[in-house]
């Protein structure tokens, strides 16, 4: 039996890797009786060559490790090609462990076209920023025409966001508003 631990964070693993590391105040006379199990750890932070993986797990771990890089989606598309695809489950893992909410809608043969998924993610981020800005202006008592002028968006679009946001006033949960907009 092999114990394998996959750490899904992008920072360095800072927890024990052996059972004995957990027993710092153990009487030395008892140490001979304690089985010192160690774990086999896979941590994205420590991986240098993701090509060693022969499955999408390598790509998932690579994205987790690199998630804080500036312009990562563009870099990845350039490195892997504009026709790069991943399985829906791999993209869902990326979304879960990077907290990005990347789109995992398959586009062909249950595969996700990563170029499109990253584009949708970017649009989602822009919408989140716009909603946040509009909510701040609503909380200051601004009316829809004034908000539309300030954010340089059509009054119709601002009105729709304000209508949805009003249901979440006065706290204005941006994520809930964004989710409701996508559902409509």
């Amino acid at each position: 039996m092999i114990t394998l631990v996959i750490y899904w964070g992008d920072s360095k693993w800072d927890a024990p890797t052996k059972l004995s590391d957990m027993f710092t105040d153990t009487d030395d006379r008892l140490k001979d009786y304690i089985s010192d199990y160690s774990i086999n750890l896979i941590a994205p932070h420590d991986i240098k060559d993701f090509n060693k993986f022969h499955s999408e797990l390598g790509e998932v771990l690579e994205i987790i490790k690199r998630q804080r890089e500036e312009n990562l989606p563009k870099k990845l598309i350039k490195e892997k090609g504009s026709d790069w695809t991943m399985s829906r489950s791999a993209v869902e893992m990326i979304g879960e462990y990077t907290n990005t909410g990347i789109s995992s809608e398959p586009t062909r043969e249950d595969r996700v076209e990563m170029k499109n998924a990253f584009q949708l993610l970017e649009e989602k981020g822009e919408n989140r920023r716009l909603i946040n800005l509009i909510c701040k202006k609503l909380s200051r008592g601004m009316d829809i025409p004034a908000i539309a002028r300030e954010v340089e968006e059509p009054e119709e679009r601002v009105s729709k966001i304000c209508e949805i946001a009003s249901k979440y006033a006065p706290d204005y949960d941006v994520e809930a508003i964004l989710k409701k907009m996508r559902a409509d």
Side-chain angles (χ1 to χ4, degrees):
M1 184 166 105
I2 298 172
T3 303
L4 181 65
V5 174
I6 300 177
Y7 171 57
W8 298 105
D10 64 329
S11 59
K12 185 156 182 60
W13 173 269
D14 64 355
T17 57
K18 313 189 284 189
L19 190 59
S20 62
D21 292 342
M22 299 173 79
F23 298 111
T24 55
D25 296 333
T26 304
D27 186 328
D28 287 340
R29 295 174 294 175
L30 295 176
K31 287 185 178 178
D32 291 339
Y33 300 101
I34 298 173
S35 298
D36 193 16
Y37 296 105
S38 61
I39 61 171
N40 298 297
L41 177 67
I42 296 177
H45 180 272
D46 299 330
I47 299 171
K48 305 268 187 276
D49 182 9
F50 291 94
N51 292 322
K52 291 180 181 179
F53 291 87
H54 299 287
S55 70
E56 288 181 322
L57 177 61
E59 290 178 309
V60 170
L61 294 172
E62 179 181 8
I63 292 170
I64 290 171
K65 178 180 181 173
R66 297 176 62 187
Q67 67 182 299
R68 298 186 199 288
E69 280 183 32
E70 197 167 317
N71 297 318
L72 181 61
K74 288 181 175 103
K75 288 178 185 175
L76 287 170
I77 296 300
K78 186 175 181 181
E79 293 168 15
K80 299 183 183 295
S82 61
D83 60 343
W84 173 39
T85 65
M86 293 184 78
S87 68
R88 172 186 255 174
S89 59
V91 174
E92 287 172 355
M93 286 176 68
I94 292 166
E96 183 69 28
Y97 294 117
T98 62
N99 200 27
T100 57
I102 190 168
S103 174
S104 60
E105 291 302 314
T107 50
R108 57 176 200 228
E109 300 169 14
D110 206 32
R111 304 287 295 172
V112 176
E113 291 178 7
M114 296 307 290
K115 184 177 180 179
N116 293 343
F118 286 133
Q119 185 176 4
L120 288 172
L121 182 61
E122 189 175 321
E123 289 170 9
K124 183 178 170 184
E126 289 169 6
N127 286 338
R128 183 179 289 114
R129 283 187 290 278
L130 178 63
I131 292 167
N132 191 38
L133 189 59
I134 290 171
C135 289
K136 284 180 183 177
K137 295 185 183 307
L138 279 173
S139 66
R140 284 191 255 139
M142 290 181 71
D143 63 3
I144 292 171
I147 294 172
R149 279 191 307 276
E150 283 206 19
V151 299
E152 298 178 351
E153 287 289 334
E155 198 171 308
E156 184 180 307
R157 183 170 187 209
V158 171
S159 178
K160 182 178 179 185
I161 293 170
C162 288
E163 180 184 326
I164 294 169
S166 68
K167 296 172 184 150
Y168 299 94
D171 297 329
Y172 298 113
D173 183 344
V174 174
E175 292 303 316
I177 296 166
L178 184 62
K179 190 175 185 177
K180 179 72 174 147
M181 281 182 60
R182 281 195 309 256
D184 288 349

